[in-house]
Amino acid sequence: AAAPTRLRSASVSDDDEMICALALAMVAGAVHGVRLAPARASDMAIIRGALCSQRMNPVNLECANFVTARGKSEQLVGAAQLRPLGGPDAPHELASLFVLPEYRWLGIGSALVRECLGRARGLGVDVLLLTLTTRAGFYERLGFTAVDSISALPPTLKVELALGQVVSRAFGNPAGIVAMSQKVRPTRSARQPRATLRMAGGPGPDRPFNENPALVQSQKNGAVLFVLVLIFNLWFFTVPPEIRRTHVCASDQFETAARYHIDCVSEDAWRQLVKDHYATCKGLNECVHFDFSIDPKTLAQNKAMFNEVMQK
């Protein structure tokens, strides 16, 4: 009989095994002609569209922060970014990770995460991220742990966490948002005097930290994101309940939804329902319906899916 599988925490001695696992993932990707490469300016529109289709944050996207996975004919099949959350010594955020459905389960997502972690080691900075609780296991296998105290997060990430919780609840998603971190061991080249690691315009004796351009820009971006999401949610809850509660599924989600007897419509079909509502309603009373309730049937269906995912 085969020996039972035993789970344990990773240790420094596991580095060789992790390297082998990464090599296997790269081989799996190579079979399908997938390679990792820095993002190009022409990729950003594709990346933004992919993030929007998966209901992920489509702002704060800088080409220089991204690494991409490319398939045959240089087709972009996945991406992730490592973006700064303040000064040069501040933690960086791992964000915008996605892989196209037909290229999943090949180790591409793990390879993208490890590439971003390699960049973090080169900079000598720790890495933070926000994810759904249902996906936390994926990041735990890559060395991330849940953040104990939300108060320790940078201000920008606190705003993103709060907004993520609001959006998750707005779409009736029972899964919450969790903040995770990984203390990255710097490479030898990163173990240099602090002065050599400062970016141009970074904080120093003659420049207070709150005048750091990168930090100021990050705070502005966070404020803009907060306003945009707030406006969207206010509008979303003015749509009639029968339209708001309609389930919108991506092309690869229809089969899963059918198992739970959930009627799905495409994003184009849902947008058409909204257009038809505004085309036929007359006056403010008919066009605006503030309703913050959640359909009990929808809540039960979402809980059933959530429980099945947790059991797996």
Side-chain angles (χ1 to χ4, degrees), residues 166-220:
V166 171
V167 173
S168 179
R169 291 168 184 167
F171 284 99
N173 192 335
I177 307 295
V178 61
M180 308 188 75
S181 68
Q182 182 172 158
K183 291 190 175 298
V184 177
R185 290 175 296 171
T187 58
R188 182 172 300 177
S189 61
R191 300 180 189 132
Q192 302 175 26
R194 181 180 298 264
T196 63
L197 292 175
R198 284 202 178 100
M199 298 186 300
D206 59 343
R207 181 185 292 272
F209 189 80
N210 60 3
E211 293 183 9
N212 176 19
L215 178 61
V216 173
Q217 186 61 45
S218 177
Q219 292 173 335
K220 289 181 179 178

Side-chain angles (χ1 to χ4, degrees), residues 24-217:
L24 290 174
M26 293 175 65
V27 170
V31 171
H32 294 265
V34 176
R35 68 180 184 87
L36 301 185
R40 307 165 184 167
S42 57
D43 295 332
M44 299 315 297
I46 300 174
I47 291 173
R48 185 172 287 104
L51 294 176
C52 288
S53 68
Q54 298 187 39
R55 295 175 181 172
M56 298 172 67
N57 183 2
V59 300
N60 291 337
L61 308 181
E62 296 291 339
C63 181
N65 297 336
F66 274 88
V67 58
T68 64
R70 299 187 177 279
K72 296 178 180 178
S73 303
E74 291 296 290
Q75 174 195 4
L76 193 149
V77 301
Q81 68 162 322
L82 183 73
R83 61 189 178 199
L85 291 173
D89 297 329
H92 282 44
E93 180 187 10
L94 173 63
S96 310
L97 173 64
F98 75 90
V99 177
L100 297 184
E102 59 269 31
Y103 286 87
R104 292 172 184 170
W105 305 107
L106 297 175
I108 297 173
S110 298
L112 286 167
V113 172
R114 290 188 173 101
E115 177 66 21
C116 289
L117 291 176
R119 290 187 176 188
R121 289 189 185 95
L123 296 170
V125 297
D126 295 335
V127 180
L128 298 169
L129 64 85
L130 300 178
T131 187
L132 293 172
T133 53
T134 51
R135 298 175 184 171
F138 167 76
Y139 292 103
E140 287 175 349
R141 291 191 292 272
L142 292 167
F144 285 87
T145 58
V147 174
D148 295 329
S149 176
I150 301 302
S151 61
L153 295 176
T156 304
L157 214 58
K158 289 180 183 178
V159 173
E160 288 188 34
L161 178 60
L163 292 177
Q165 297 285 14
V166 171
V167 173
S168 179
R169 291 168 184 167
F171 284 99
N173 192 335
I177 307 295
V178 61
M180 308 188 75
S181 68
Q182 182 172 158
K183 291 190 175 298
V184 177
R185 290 175 296 171
T187 58
R188 182 172 300 177
S189 61
R191 300 180 189 132
Q192 302 175 26
R194 181 180 298 264
T196 63
L197 292 175
R198 284 202 178 100
M199 298 186 300
D206 59 343
R207 181 185 292 272
F209 189 80
N210 60 3
E211 293 183 9
N212 176 19
L215 178 61
V216 173
Q217 186 61 45

